[in-house]
Amino acid sequence: MPCPDHITSVWCCKGRGLRATVASMTEHLMVFPDRDDAERIADDLRDEGFSEVRVVRESLAGEDDGEDHEWAVHVREDMIADESGAVEQGLRERFTTLAEKFDGWYDPDPAP
């Protein structure tokens, strides 16, 4: 049950002075031409403890050919309060660099 003082609270224990709130959830999408690269990156991110990581096959916009697919790594991260946005920006920069390293690209605003 949420703490009445914090609408987005996951748990709160005022008696011991402990409080954690999830202020936001971020989603990230990296797209790679190679399935093995996508799977390896997803495994590494899971090992790091991200909230949700999955690999999905992405069809290229405007392409009907079954061969024209790439592999997307979808990352969802529940975050502790990040009012400055520094954590989310850091993840965007990290994932952009990672995608480019493997000849992929980062989607800064993935569709739900």
Side-chain angles (χ1 to χ4, degrees):
M1 180 163 149
C3 168
D5 297 332
H6 300 90
I7 293 172
T8 59
S9 182
V10 174
W11 57 266
C12 179
C13 180
K14 290 183 181 180
R16 290 187 270 174
L18 302 174
R19 179 179 296 134
T21 59
V22 174
S24 64
M25 182 261 311
T26 62
E27 293 188 72
H28 304 272
L29 188 71
M30 295 170 282
V31 182
F32 302 95
D34 184 73
R35 181 181 185 173
D36 291 337
D37 289 340
E39 292 285 354
R40 186 171 35 258
I41 289 164
D43 287 343
D44 290 347
L45 294 173
R46 282 185 202 103
D47 290 346
E48 288 182 34
F50 281 90
S51 302
E52 178 185 333
V53 180
R54 56 190 161 93
V55 175
V56 295
R57 193 168 184 199
E58 282 285 308
S59 60
L60 299 174
E63 297 293 331
D64 293 329
D65 187 348
E67 297 297 316
D68 289 325
H69 286 81
E70 294 185 305
W71 298 92
V73 177
H74 181 264
V75 180
R76 185 181 63 82
E77 179 61 13
D78 296 328
M79 297 180 2
I80 300 301
D82 179 29
E83 294 174 16
S84 70
V87 173
E88 183 173 1
Q89 183 60 35
L91 289 174
R92 287 175 182 255
E93 290 170 6
R94 177 184 176 195
F95 293 152
T96 297
T97 300
L98 185 59
E100 289 171 356
K101 179 179 177 181
F102 290 92
D103 297 321
W105 53 277
Y106 173 75
D107 183 347
D109 191 28

